[in-house]
Amino acid sequence: MTGPFRLANEVDTTGFGDTGMRLGDLDGDGELEAVFFQARDCHIPRMSAGGYRHEKQVHCVTAMKLDGDVMWQEGAPLGTGHWAMHEVGAAVSDIDGDGKQEIVYVTERDGRSYLRILEGDRGYFRKEVETGPNCVLQLCDIRGLGARRDILVSTFVNPIYIYADDLTCLWNCHFYGGAGHSHDFHDIDGDGKEEAFIGYCCVRADGLKVWWRPDLEPHLEEMTRAPHVDHLHVHDIDDDGRPELLMVAGKDLVVLDAATGEDRFIFEGTHIQTCAVGKFLPDMEGQQLFVTERRLHGDQAHIGFRGYLVDCKGNEIWRMEKAGYGRTLRLAGSEADVIFAECQGKKPTLIDGHGKIIQELDMPLHTYAEDRFDDGDTGVRALFEIADTNGDGKLELLGYNRTRLWHWVQD
């Protein structure tokens, strides 16, 4: 199916590619490069990682131009064997404010976890510090520097650590109710320091709670382990100037006032795992939410990756079976956002605000691990980044797995 995107390039990354990739301008030329993190999940579930296998050792980091030219490589590639890797805690950013990009990631060595920084242009080792169990890394600004130069490290549940750009520990082994797969940050009181939204808690820069909502646990994903929130997003969805917290709670979508924690609405589901916010229908009030259900853990049958478009007050506009996880994308010259959707067993699609498929990308099917659902990716699926890599103002799609990088552009 033709559409706004065309495949501009396909690069063979066999030997060093993986389903952990980040983008950044490593050499300062104004264009983005790709950084691949080749890593292997822990072979057993660990209590320190909430019962997951997600602690991992990063074996190789490779920086590459988008045309396939390898800039540098740190470590020994894993090659083409079979292993599981479920995401990686990593970021590419100017973490120390010197005008150059650094590579920041968490790895395991001899049973211990380390937070490590490499120079972006050459891959040279900068520094590292021992940290707690790993698989999540996010940047924030709890010191009020005006840029996200603080580094949060956690598992897919608790505990939480935050480090300054020189790897001084700011938060050491904090625990917060409902802590889950990702967090969000926003300065809600105007003091220049971002508050952290973790689980069902809003937390000040000093680690103390602004508010917390343990009564929301029935809406969280439980999975016979710790109740936890899958994802959190801070957005002003009704355009009133006051941000809301979108708690993708794992069972339901819970929307709260970000500053006070007061209820806005609850969109009930079974295993709601993602939520994309955008102006998909420009004539409607506020923003719209594209919400996707995955399935119940332990069940053999999928819910179907059902997608819902929901208005800013929690009312369902339409639903689509087997829609997939969605992300927001604005096409060049358009006044409306579209949904970029990825679904197991289907090719990635672009969906407009009325639920119409406007393009299907011609590439291998999006699939998961073949052995067990929760063992992490074994290199057979493709993940995507959405970015303007050359500064022309047009967003591009970059799909990648262990053997390929696909680069889709708008004309």
PDB file of all heavy atoms in Angstrom, residues 194-207:
ATOM      1  N   GLU A 194      12.121  19.350  38.282  1.00  0.00           N
ATOM      2  CA  GLU A 194      11.060  18.438  37.880  1.00  0.00           C
ATOM      3  C   GLU A 194      10.659  17.528  39.043  1.00  0.00           C
ATOM      4  O   GLU A 194      11.517  17.023  39.774  1.00  0.00           O
ATOM      5  CB  GLU A 194      11.507  17.580  36.696  1.00  0.00           C
ATOM      6  CG  GLU A 194      11.611  18.356  35.398  1.00  0.00           C
ATOM      7  CD  GLU A 194      11.908  17.471  34.220  1.00  0.00           C
ATOM      8  OE1 GLU A 194      12.716  16.529  34.366  1.00  0.00           O
ATOM      9  OE2 GLU A 194      11.343  17.720  33.147  1.00  0.00           O
ATOM     10  N   GLU A 195       9.342  17.344  39.187  1.00  0.00           N
ATOM     11  CA  GLU A 195       8.847  16.288  40.061  1.00  0.00           C
ATOM     12  C   GLU A 195       8.864  14.974  39.288  1.00  0.00           C
ATOM     13  O   GLU A 195       8.758  14.968  38.051  1.00  0.00           O
ATOM     14  CB  GLU A 195       7.420  16.596  40.544  1.00  0.00           C
ATOM     15  CG  GLU A 195       7.330  17.550  41.721  1.00  0.00           C
ATOM     16  CD  GLU A 195       7.714  18.962  41.357  1.00  0.00           C
ATOM     17  OE1 GLU A 195       7.345  19.415  40.256  1.00  0.00           O
ATOM     18  OE2 GLU A 195       8.390  19.627  42.176  1.00  0.00           O
ATOM     19  N   ALA A 196       9.009  13.876  40.010  1.00  0.00           N
ATOM     20  CA  ALA A 196       9.014  12.553  39.389  1.00  0.00           C
ATOM     21  C   ALA A 196       7.674  11.879  39.635  1.00  0.00           C
ATOM     22  O   ALA A 196       7.184  11.855  40.775  1.00  0.00           O
ATOM     23  CB  ALA A 196      10.144  11.701  39.965  1.00  0.00           C
ATOM     24  N   PHE A 197       7.090  11.358  38.582  1.00  0.00           N
ATOM     25  CA  PHE A 197       5.865  10.575  38.692  1.00  0.00           C
ATOM     26  C   PHE A 197       6.257   9.105  38.573  1.00  0.00           C
ATOM     27  O   PHE A 197       6.700   8.649  37.515  1.00  0.00           O
ATOM     28  CB  PHE A 197       4.872  10.992  37.612  1.00  0.00           C
ATOM     29  CG  PHE A 197       4.365  12.396  37.806  1.00  0.00           C
ATOM     30  CD1 PHE A 197       5.052  13.477  37.264  1.00  0.00           C
ATOM     31  CD2 PHE A 197       3.231  12.635  38.555  1.00  0.00           C
ATOM     32  CE1 PHE A 197       4.606  14.767  37.458  1.00  0.00           C
ATOM     33  CE2 PHE A 197       2.772  13.930  38.756  1.00  0.00           C
ATOM     34  CZ  PHE A 197       3.460  15.003  38.208  1.00  0.00           C
ATOM     35  N   ILE A 198       6.127   8.391  39.686  1.00  0.00           N
ATOM     36  CA  ILE A 198       6.571   7.005  39.788  1.00  0.00           C
ATOM     37  C   ILE A 198       5.428   6.194  40.378  1.00  0.00           C
ATOM     38  O   ILE A 198       4.955   6.496  41.484  1.00  0.00           O
ATOM     39  CB  ILE A 198       7.818   6.881  40.683  1.00  0.00           C
ATOM     40  CG1 ILE A 198       8.963   7.739  40.139  1.00  0.00           C
ATOM     41  CG2 ILE A 198       8.255   5.426  40.804  1.00  0.00           C
ATOM     42  CD1 ILE A 198      10.172   7.804  41.061  1.00  0.00           C
ATOM     43  N   GLY A 199       4.971   5.180  39.642  1.00  0.00           N
ATOM     44  CA  GLY A 199       3.836   4.402  40.132  1.00  0.00           C
ATOM     45  C   GLY A 199       2.642   5.301  40.361  1.00  0.00           C
ATOM     46  O   GLY A 199       2.272   6.120  39.523  1.00  0.00           O
ATOM     47  N   TYR A 200       2.015   5.191  41.537  1.00  0.00           N
ATOM     48  CA  TYR A 200       0.899   6.068  41.856  1.00  0.00           C
ATOM     49  C   TYR A 200       1.331   7.179  42.814  1.00  0.00           C
ATOM     50  O   TYR A 200       0.555   7.646  43.654  1.00  0.00           O
ATOM     51  CB  TYR A 200      -0.289   5.284  42.445  1.00  0.00           C
ATOM     52  CG  TYR A 200       0.041   4.252  43.505  1.00  0.00           C
ATOM     53  CD1 TYR A 200       0.442   4.634  44.788  1.00  0.00           C
ATOM     54  CD2 TYR A 200      -0.089   2.892  43.237  1.00  0.00           C
ATOM     55  CE1 TYR A 200       0.723   3.697  45.761  1.00  0.00           C
ATOM     56  CE2 TYR A 200       0.189   1.948  44.203  1.00  0.00           C
ATOM     57  CZ  TYR A 200       0.586   2.351  45.470  1.00  0.00           C
ATOM     58  OH  TYR A 200       0.863   1.416  46.444  1.00  0.00           O
ATOM     59  N   CYS A 201       2.569   7.642  42.654  1.00  0.00           N
ATOM     60  CA  CYS A 201       3.131   8.688  43.508  1.00  0.00           C
ATOM     61  C   CYS A 201       3.658   9.853  42.674  1.00  0.00           C
ATOM     62  O   CYS A 201       4.211   9.649  41.598  1.00  0.00           O
ATOM     63  CB  CYS A 201       4.285   8.151  44.356  1.00  0.00           C
ATOM     64  SG  CYS A 201       3.896   6.678  45.325  1.00  0.00           S
ATOM     65  N   CYS A 202       3.508  11.051  43.212  1.00  0.00           N
ATOM     66  CA  CYS A 202       4.198  12.233  42.707  1.00  0.00           C
ATOM     67  C   CYS A 202       5.252  12.600  43.741  1.00  0.00           C
ATOM     68  O   CYS A 202       4.931  12.794  44.927  1.00  0.00           O
ATOM     69  CB  CYS A 202       3.216  13.382  42.497  1.00  0.00           C
ATOM     70  SG  CYS A 202       4.002  14.938  42.002  1.00  0.00           S
ATOM     71  N   VAL A 203       6.517  12.707  43.318  1.00  0.00           N
ATOM     72  CA  VAL A 203       7.640  12.788  44.252  1.00  0.00           C
ATOM     73  C   VAL A 203       8.455  14.043  43.965  1.00  0.00           C
ATOM     74  O   VAL A 203       8.774  14.348  42.815  1.00  0.00           O
ATOM     75  CB  VAL A 203       8.538  11.536  44.118  1.00  0.00           C
ATOM     76  CG1 VAL A 203       9.620  11.540  45.194  1.00  0.00           C
ATOM     77  CG2 VAL A 203       7.702  10.260  44.209  1.00  0.00           C
ATOM     78  N   ARG A 204       8.804  14.773  45.023  1.00  0.00           N
ATOM     79  CA  ARG A 204       9.636  15.964  44.890  1.00  0.00           C
ATOM     80  C   ARG A 204      11.083  15.581  44.586  1.00  0.00           C
ATOM     81  O   ARG A 204      11.487  14.423  44.714  1.00  0.00           O
ATOM     82  CB  ARG A 204       9.611  16.776  46.189  1.00  0.00           C
ATOM     83  CG  ARG A 204       8.264  17.316  46.546  1.00  0.00           C
ATOM     84  CD  ARG A 204       8.331  18.298  47.701  1.00  0.00           C
ATOM     85  NE  ARG A 204       9.362  18.003  48.703  1.00  0.00           N
ATOM     86  CZ  ARG A 204       9.351  18.478  49.935  1.00  0.00           C
ATOM     87  NH1 ARG A 204       8.358  19.261  50.326  1.00  0.00           N
ATOM     88  NH2 ARG A 204      10.320  18.184  50.783  1.00  0.00           N
ATOM     89  N   ALA A 205      11.869  16.599  44.239  1.00  0.00           N
ATOM     90  CA  ALA A 205      13.278  16.374  43.914  1.00  0.00           C
ATOM     91  C   ALA A 205      14.051  15.780  45.089  1.00  0.00           C
ATOM     92  O   ALA A 205      15.036  15.072  44.893  1.00  0.00           O
ATOM     93  CB  ALA A 205      13.931  17.679  43.467  1.00  0.00           C
ATOM     94  N   ASP A 206      13.600  16.056  46.326  1.00  0.00           N
ATOM     95  CA  ASP A 206      14.289  15.504  47.492  1.00  0.00           C
ATOM     96  C   ASP A 206      13.819  14.107  47.858  1.00  0.00           C
ATOM     97  O   ASP A 206      14.251  13.537  48.866  1.00  0.00           O
ATOM     98  CB  ASP A 206      14.134  16.434  48.701  1.00  0.00           C
ATOM     99  CG  ASP A 206      12.666  16.659  49.090  1.00  0.00           C
ATOM    100  OD1 ASP A 206      11.784  15.987  48.514  1.00  0.00           O
ATOM    101  OD2 ASP A 206      12.423  17.514  49.962  1.00  0.00           O
ATOM    102  N   GLY A 207      12.923  13.524  47.048  1.00  0.00           N
ATOM    103  CA  GLY A 207      12.467  12.162  47.276  1.00  0.00           C
ATOM    104  C   GLY A 207      11.214  12.039  48.116  1.00  0.00           C
ATOM    105  O   GLY A 207      10.698  10.926  48.285  1.00  0.00           O
TER     106      GLY A 207
END
